[in-house]
Amino acid sequence: MLALYQLGAKVAHRYGYRYVETPAFEQTELFRRTSGESSDVVRKEMYTFEDRNRRLLTLRPEATAPIVRAYLERGGGFPSPFKVFTIERMWRYGRPQSGRLREFRQFDAEVIGERDSEADVEVISLGDAFLREARIGDFELQINSIGDEKCRPAYRAELIEYLRAHRDELKDEHKERFEENPLRVLDCKDEACRRVAEGAPKIVDRLCDDCQEHFAGVEEGLRTEGVTSVINPTLVRGLDYYTRTTFEWVSGRLAKGQDSVGGGGRYDGLAEVLGGPATPAVGFAIGLERVLLLLEREGTIQDLEGPAVFVVGVGDVSRSVTAGLVRGFRSAGLAADQSLESRSLKAQLRKADRSGARFAVIVGERESAAGTVTVRRLSDGHQEELSLDDAIAWIAAQGEATT
């Protein structure tokens, strides 16, 4: 998991995002106002409790609303747009299952204060880069537009009429409540609701001119960035604050109905819901537990977690020599480790392999006298005898070192 934290931070910094943190719990009203009273998050999934002053508090179920709340409370003074990321624990109540835990971790990135489609493209590109560099295997980016306050009301009315005609085909919950928020039927994972959603009118075909132009800009920008996407006309996401662009990364190796690795969208009206000025924004959240699940299935999780170098001492080489090598690699920015007790060569190499290291750096009496080390690539056994400086350069040149 630590390697995913590091990778998320590295990719986010590369795109110019700064790190933020929010409290583990917030006033419950924050999530009721932003997620919507009819949302599954508010109705079914929040951990809510009273404190000693009888205030209702909720463990953070998602990061976007707390970040926007903190942004508004600071009252400006930030660069515009305000580009931030966080990697934090979230909590949602539900039946624990593969890829869905009550306490989980998310990598979240937000751009606040920019309405142009270029912001959508950058956020999506950042998340896409993270997933590719994590090496989770094949996945699909799905995108959609759910319009705005201009075009969504007419679509909402049309969708309600359609759902009224198909009421008996919906699952019990949506059968009774779809008129409160008909778009939630499109987001439902139940097979019966999915069949109804497939035949529903598509909002992407009913966008106003401004929303059409914005969505076309997203599609064109993604093509320019080399990010492949497909339109999913039923992709609406599950929270009330989304507007215009929605997107999701989906893997076919996850269970059906839980195949989303992450996603997000634009939420231009969220700041106003919280009593702030109109502030356009867009962001995403990626579930790190699902990323780990995919890495396990790809067989690459050990590669992510292991150090770059494991130093192995042979024969009478002193611990001070191997410890000095470890310090040298660490000073050069390479993750390095060694056995903390005296062991045979075979035992140390076995420990190196189990650690997930990509290289074993072996030093015996001959190497110590010559001022060299033997660098062995553990994946194929290829090795070179080099000076410490050359060993550092050679390992870095392999393009596999964990920093």
Side-chain angles (χ1 to χ4, degrees):
M1 184 65 77
L2 175 60
L4 291 179
Y5 277 49
Q6 293 170 334
L7 178 61
K10 182 175 74 172
V11 176
H13 282 305
R14 187 193 309 157
Y15 279 74
Y17 288 62
R18 61 181 65 189
Y19 183 72
V20 297
E21 287 186 355
T22 63
F25 57 84
E26 299 269 358
Q27 293 186 20
T28 299
E29 186 63 16
L30 172 69
F31 302 110
R32 285 181 174 170
R33 291 172 67 185
T34 58
S35 298
E37 289 284 358
S38 64
S39 69
D40 283 348
V41 170
V42 172
R43 291 178 54 240
K44 300 178 181 179
E45 299 176 353
M46 294 200 316
Y47 278 102
T48 298
F49 57 93
E50 281 189 355
D51 68 3
R52 292 183 179 183
N53 289 325
R54 297 184 178 274
R55 293 171 297 195
L56 280 179
L57 303 176
T58 295
L59 287 172
R60 181 179 56 222
E62 56 99 13
T64 301
I67 288 174
V68 175
R69 187 268 309 154
Y71 172 84
L72 294 174
E73 286 183 359
R74 287 289 298 270
F78 297 111
S80 183
F82 187 48
K83 297 166 51 171
V84 296
F85 79 97
T86 191
I87 305 172
E88 294 186 292
R89 285 180 171 87
M90 311 290 165
W91 293 266
R92 292 192 186 187
Y93 185 80
R95 181 171 61 85
Q97 50 194 296
S98 179
R100 186 186 292 273
L101 304 177
R102 288 174 175 168
E103 180 179 338
F104 57 99
R105 296 159 181 81
Q106 283 187 343
F107 171 37
D108 183 281
E110 313 286 344
V111 176
I112 301 173
E114 179 56 67
R115 67 176 64 256
D116 193 89
S117 60
E118 287 294 330
D120 307 42
V121 172
E122 181 178 276
V123 161
I124 295 171
S125 298
L126 192 166
D128 210 74
F130 169 78
L131 293 175
R132 294 193 185 285
E133 292 182 36
R135 294 177 291 168
I136 67 169
D138 293 337
F139 60 89
E140 181 178 78
L141 169 64
Q142 299 179 357
I143 63 172
N144 192 27
S145 176
I146 57 174
D148 61 12
E149 69 280 359
K150 295 180 187 176
C151 50
R152 198 185 303 167
Y155 173 74
R156 184 180 186 279
E158 183 181 359
L159 180 59
I160 287 175
E161 286 301 313
Y162 171 82
L163 294 177
R164 283 173 180 165
H166 294 270
R167 180 193 298 269
D168 292 342
E169 301 170 44
L170 299 174
K171 64 180 296 186
D172 293 341
E173 176 184 348
H174 289 303
K175 185 181 299 185
E176 302 302 324
R177 304 174 67 97
F178 71 82
E179 297 204 22
E180 295 178 19
N181 191 333
L183 268 67
R184 296 205 184 283
V185 177
L186 305 183
D187 191 52
C188 180
K189 306 305 181 186
D190 180 80
E191 282 299 324
C193 290
R194 284 189 176 216
R195 287 192 293 270
V196 173
E198 286 299 319
K202 314 302 183 192
I203 191 170
V204 73
D205 298 327
R206 293 160 173 80
L207 300 175
C208 63
D209 290 343
D210 287 344
C211 288
Q212 285 181 345
E213 181 179 354
H214 186 94
F215 192 51
V218 172
E219 291 185 283
E220 179 59 30
L222 291 175
R223 283 192 290 269
T224 300
E225 291 293 321
V227 177
T228 302
S229 64
V230 297
I231 295 176
N232 177 355
T234 64
L235 176 59
V236 298
R237 305 292 292 165
L239 302 176
D240 279 358
Y241 54 63
Y242 284 111
T243 181
R244 290 193 172 178
T245 310
T246 58
F247 56 90
E248 200 163 70
W249 293 282
V250 175
S251 171
R253 292 186 305 286
L254 295 174
K256 196 170 185 180
Q258 295 182 27
D259 51 0
S260 173
V261 184
R266 178 161 283 279
Y267 49 94
D268 292 346
L270 180 57
E272 290 180 275
V273 171
L274 295 177
T279 308
V282 61
F284 72 74
I286 290 174
L288 297 188
E289 276 77 13
R290 293 196 181 179
V291 172
L292 280 177
L293 188 60
L294 288 169
L295 291 175
E296 289 173 357
R297 294 177 181 180
E298 285 290 305
T300 57
I301 187 168
Q302 188 180 57
D303 289 344
L304 268 175
E305 298 290 350
V309 174
F310 195 98
V311 176
V312 174
V314 182
D316 295 329
V317 170
S318 69
R319 300 263 318 154
S320 63
V321 172
T322 57
L325 290 172
V326 170
R327 285 195 299 273
F329 284 112
R330 289 172 178 170
S331 296
L334 298 175
D337 200 1
Q338 66 173 334
S339 175
L340 298 179
E341 57 183 318
S342 297
R343 290 175 176 251
S344 67
L345 172 62
K346 183 177 180 181
Q348 289 183 77
L349 288 174
R350 186 164 56 245
K351 192 173 181 67
D353 188 59
R354 289 175 178 172
S355 77
R358 282 172 281 290
F359 299 92
V361 173
I362 304 167
V363 56
E365 294 180 19
R366 180 178 58 79
E367 288 94 348
S368 183
T372 63
V373 294
T374 297
V375 183
R376 179 181 299 177
R377 189 165 53 213
L378 293 175
S379 61
D380 59 9
H382 176 81
Q383 62 186 43
E384 303 270 351
E385 185 171 344
L386 304 163
S387 68
L388 177 59
D389 288 343
D390 288 344
I392 291 170
W394 188 74
I395 291 171
Q398 305 305 300
E400 298 180 24
T402 298
T403 60

